Amino acid sequence: MKNEYLLLTPGPLSTSETVRSAMLKDWCTWDDDYNKDIVEVIRAKLVSLATEQEGYTSVLMQGSGTASVEATIGSAISQSGKLLVVDNGAYGARIAQIADYLNIPCSVISPGETAQPSLSEIENALSTDLAITHVAIVHCETTTGMLNPIEPVASLAKQHGKVVILDAMSSFGGIPMDIGELGIDFMISSANKCIQGVPGFGFVIAKQTELEKCKGQARSLSLDLYDQWHCMEVNHGKWRFTSPTHTVRAFYQALLELQDEGGIQARHQRYQTNQKTLVAGLRSLGFTPLLEDSLHSPIITSFYSPTNSDYQFKAFYDRLKEQGFVIYPGKVSNADCFRIGNIGDVHPSDIERLIGAIANAMYWEVK
Ligand SMILES: *Cc1c(COP(=O)(O)O)cnc(C)c1O
């Protein structure tokens, strides 16, 4: 079945017809053709996409991406631990909120939603607050499209002997990185972002020695990261509780398609071309991106809303949807914006058609 419109939303996103078709079969979660031939292949493939270094392993977790973030925060930090979070958007704020829910001591570095964190502020926090054991940061802050400087932040955290947690939900698979080289201990992402699968589970790629320390620490049964991993390890791909079989099978297909495209490098190229085409096209129509070009990821872009007093996001959205494109409302607290995602089965020619559709939709009087 063909889609009636292209989702320019960063998860769920537009998937290929072949990924969607891969869901048309039911699977038994006790059999090797699911556990060994699908789940275990996915786990190994994810590790090899994340790093060339030894000592990493992966665990898949039911739920949306936030469940995997919550599983990691709730399992990795011991009763005597403390978290330092960089918050420059809704997803950084969500990590701090999870810590709060779980009664985990947490301090927050808040540069605001349109700025990157100051390294000296992080350095200062790490050298003065010796209770801090873990540092968490979001790679691409999907709130704005900001790409955070994970390399110097992780390196600083490592110099101080801290465990590093990276929310790479919206970037993994779309931006090349080696988490071993970066010194990341836990990296979290999900099925419905740059790997271009459908929603239903998240995953964590972790340094095995750090994951093993999580044993017995989880603050939730179903979100026990260690136990989930241990069950998959010992039972060759068996999930503890019902696994989202169709989503997992679709994800397997999505990984094959990532490989066919030429891997993460090639996908990154395509996303970058999408993003540059989008920004150039919208600038030519008079729109202004929220962030400076140098802060930008190729994943999603925020634009200031038109200042015309008759502009309404909903009407603009509807006119674009009629023409086959679904865009995203803004999520920045102090600026009126809309967002357009570049990820998914979306190609530069689609972005060019989108720019034409936006030009058609730019009349603001309510008719
Ligand atoms: C999508 C996303 C999440 C997870 O969101 P869910 O709605 O729970 O899937 C977390 N962090 C970032 C940066 C994201 O883009």
Side-chain angles (χ1 to χ4, degrees), residues 10-12 63-69 90-92 94-95 138-143 167-171 188-193 199-201 299-300 328 331 339 343:
S64 84
T66 304
S68 288
V69 177
Y91 295 101
R94 190 176 295 175
I95 297 176
V138 175
H139 189 200
C140 167
E141 199 18 285
T142 322
T143 313
D167 173 349
M169 201 74 65
S170 62
S171 55
I188 309 150
S189 187
S190 73
N192 60 279
K193 304 261 169 139
F201 71 95
I299 306 298
I300 185 168
Y328 227 31
K331 200 169 179 157
R339 292 178 294 168
I343 62 178

